[in-house]
Amino acid sequence: MAEPFPTTASESFHAVILAAGSGSRIGGDTPKQFREIAGKPLLRHSLEAFRACPGLQSIVVVAPVGQLNYVNDVAGEKVAISGGATRQESVRAALTALSHLPKDAIILIHDAARPCILQAQIVAVADAAARHNAATLAIPVADSLRRVAGDGDAAEFVSRDSLWRVQTPQGFRFGLLADAHARGQDGATDDTALVSADGVPVKLVPGSESNIKVTMPDDFAIAEAILQQRQTLTPRVGMGFDVHAFDHSPSTKPLVLCGVIIPHARPLAGHSDADVGLHALTDALFGALGDGDIGTHFPPSDPAFKNMDSAVFLRKACDLVQQGGGRISHVDITLICEEPKITPHRAAMLARLSALLALDKSRIGLKATTTEKLGFTGRGEGIAAQAVATILWPEG
Ligand code: MG
């Protein structure tokens, strides 16, 4: 019964991680991108965040000359190419290595010095680059600003209104970025500056203070605290409940329960495939996330979701758990009806749920009960479902 299921739409992209700098402002012999932080080399934190993105097609790490083997070891695969003396030269080296890509491919450039990047932020930049051709994470400036004279005294006041700090990753159509680098002046501190010089608007995607660039010695302690806090996962529990009536209209829709087609006289009525079990489970996950419900994510007024396979809804909730750095610990579902009998289909339902959730069957509860002929389920008017989901979630 387990047919392939569609995953949530996510833009395909190629990633370049810049790790060629000498890290001269940090001090010490080891370049900062290779120093241990929260139990692994700084570079590996970014690599793992990118690799967790469903849209990632390929990855290139630009390494210091002479450090290719070391970087390949850190990455666990051959991804390293030699960088140049400046950031711009390093990006150019990556563009040359990726010159086989079509012009409309999406490429994301990220500084290895930002190890706290979240998967959800990477996905947001890739999606924005696909819609707007050029995009970057950025945050509004919160501090007051002064332009400083040569002797270090605070001089001219600078209004922070409409000023944003630009972060990475930055995403572009490959051809657009390659053209900007071919024409660009030396000295640009990031790739959006080069693209903007060509008159291309750059979409700002809200970043976060936690996406810190490890530049000065103190930054290591701040980044390490952020990464360690994320490694502490706290349990969260969400519950879901749903009811669908049997459909008495002439209909060719099948009855679908927990992702499995059940031979039965009547399907359930509903805008989607009316899979009451998956709806309750999906709402339990949205509840654990504290992120609305199935109706806010997939409005029933939207004709795009008509007769939709409810596996799509469930996968969206699963993707949100994963993208936030959490994981599903356990789910438990109760189907409430007089008919059909659930037991003959229970093994198929468990297999389907296990595949959809990417969760071992030992972590899935699936039960059925009647209501002793009482109420609407007892009269055989429809099916109800309850679900509880426990996730482990990085608070803060
Ligand atoms: Mg429903």
Side-chain angles (χ1 to χ4, degrees):
M1 286 287 180
E3 63 268 27
F5 53 87
T7 55
T8 305
S10 189
E11 291 300 335
S12 296
F13 68 93
H14 302 264
V16 172
I17 298 182
L18 301 174
S22 63
S24 51
R25 278 176 286 184
I26 290 282
D29 293 336
T30 310
K32 66 180 174 189
Q33 60 274 29
F34 306 138
R35 270 176 60 174
E36 277 282 295
I37 179 167
K40 54 189 98 161
L42 188 134
L43 166 65
R44 195 179 289 159
H45 291 280
S46 292
L47 275 170
E48 289 177 358
F50 274 82
R51 282 176 175 154
C53 295
L56 180 73
Q57 300 296 300
S58 71
I59 197 158
V60 166
V61 178
V62 187
V65 174
Q67 304 262 20
L68 296 194
N69 288 342
Y70 176 79
V71 166
N72 286 332
D73 282 350
V74 167
E77 61 176 324
K78 285 187 81 173
V79 291
I81 63 166
S82 286
T86 66
R87 185 184 194 282
Q88 212 166 324
E89 284 176 27
S90 290
V91 175
R92 274 188 206 136
L95 294 175
T96 302
L98 293 169
S99 57
H100 58 280
L101 292 181
K103 277 177 175 292
D104 64 349
I106 299 296
I107 179 167
L108 262 56
I109 312 286
H110 182 63
D111 292 333
R114 294 187 186 272
C116 304
I117 186 66
L118 289 169
Q119 186 191 349
Q121 293 171 325
I122 298 168
V123 170
V125 171
D127 289 353
R131 283 200 302 278
H132 303 279
N133 298 321
T136 183
L137 281 186
I139 54 175
V141 170
D143 296 333
S144 293
L145 297 174
R146 289 275 178 167
R147 195 184 309 280
V148 177
D151 57 6
D153 288 336
E156 182 192 355
F157 170 78
V158 179
S159 169
R160 70 183 174 212
D161 285 354
S162 70
L163 286 182
W164 286 57
R165 290 156 52 202
V166 171
Q167 304 182 327
T168 70
Q170 306 185 338
F172 309 91
R173 295 281 175 200
F174 179 78
L176 190 149
L177 184 62
D179 288 350
H181 272 271
R183 281 195 295 273
Q185 302 293 308
D186 285 329
T189 55
D190 77 326
D191 296 285
T192 60
L194 287 175
V195 168
S196 294
D198 282 354
V200 176
V202 176
K203 180 72 177 173
L204 299 185
V205 177
S208 63
E209 289 286 354
S210 65
N211 184 24
I212 181 176
K213 186 172 187 183
V214 176
T215 309
M216 309 303 275
D218 282 354
D219 298 337
F220 258 97
I222 297 169
E224 185 147 52
I226 292 167
L227 292 167
Q228 281 173 341
Q229 186 185 28
R230 285 194 194 146
Q231 288 167 358
T232 307
L233 299 177
T234 307
R236 282 179 166 210
V237 176
M239 62 174 288
F241 176 73
D242 197 28
V243 172
H244 281 260
F246 282 115
D247 188 350
H248 293 274
S249 67
S251 170
T252 54
K253 272 167 70 169
L255 173 64
V256 186
L257 287 176
C258 293
V260 174
I261 293 173
I262 309 286
H264 192 63
R266 300 206 180 283
L268 290 170
H271 185 64
S272 65
D273 67 4
D275 187 333
V276 68
L278 290 195
H279 291 187
L281 177 57
T282 303
D283 265 353
L285 286 167
F286 284 137
L289 288 165
D291 186 3
D293 61 18
I294 205 167
T296 52
H297 288 274
F298 302 96
S301 56
D302 189 335
F305 306 127
K306 185 157 177 57
N307 295 330
M308 177 67 87
D309 178 354
S310 296
V312 173
F313 309 153
L314 181 60
R315 286 301 310 171
K316 169 75 178 185
C318 293
D319 286 349
L320 288 176
V321 173
Q322 194 191 22
Q323 286 168 13
R327 62 174 187 265
I328 299 170
S329 174
H330 178 260
V331 301
D332 188 19
I333 304 168
T334 302
L335 298 172
I336 306 164
C337 57
E338 301 289 335
E339 294 287 337
K341 296 294 173 218
I342 300 302
T343 307
H345 309 287
R346 189 171 175 279
M349 289 179 182
L350 266 180
R352 179 73 170 140
L353 289 166
S354 175
L356 286 171
L357 295 162
L359 194 64
D360 191 82
K361 286 178 204 164
S362 65
R363 294 172 176 270
I364 301 172
L366 177 60
K367 309 179 292 326
T369 186
T370 70
T371 49
E372 302 291 340
K373 309 273 190 213
L374 297 172
F376 68 88
T377 51
R379 294 189 295 273
E381 295 169 6
I383 301 179
Q386 295 177 333
V388 175
T390 306
I391 67 171
L392 295 172
W393 188 249
E395 301 295 344

